[in-house]
Amino acid sequence: MGVPKKRKSHTRKTKRRSHLALKKTSVTTCPDCGEPTLPHRVCPSCNRYKGKRVLNIED
Ligand SMILES: [Zn+2]
């Protein structure tokens, strides 16, 4: 197994990790009920996707 010969400097470590930050999740509003939802997901409050009821969950 390869073993690193030299310890990587703080600058080198932080430069490598500059691309690792998580992006903020984008939020859209549901066109049917107006609740904030995640894009390309079924609306959790009205169980609709693109105007169609896709989940049959009884309230
Ligand atoms: Zn909705």
Side-chain angles (χ1 to χ4, degrees):
M1 196 174 80
V3 178
K5 203 167 202 175
K6 287 268 166 58
R7 174 181 168 166
K8 298 285 187 288
S9 69
H10 174 80
T11 308
R12 205 181 162 96
K13 182 173 75 177
T14 53
K15 276 181 176 177
R16 181 176 67 240
R17 294 178 183 176
S18 68
H19 305 284
L20 300 182
L22 296 174
K23 289 196 176 80
K24 283 183 182 173
T25 55
S26 60
V27 177
T28 58
T29 53
C30 177
D32 297 299
C33 66
E35 287 287 312
T37 57
L38 294 172
H40 308 288
R41 261 47 154 222
V42 176
C43 176
S45 60
C46 67
N47 301 320
R48 284 168 191 268
Y49 187 75
K50 286 186 174 179
K52 281 184 181 177
R53 194 185 171 100
V54 289
L55 294 175
N56 286 317
I57 299 170
E58 301 300 322
D59 293 325

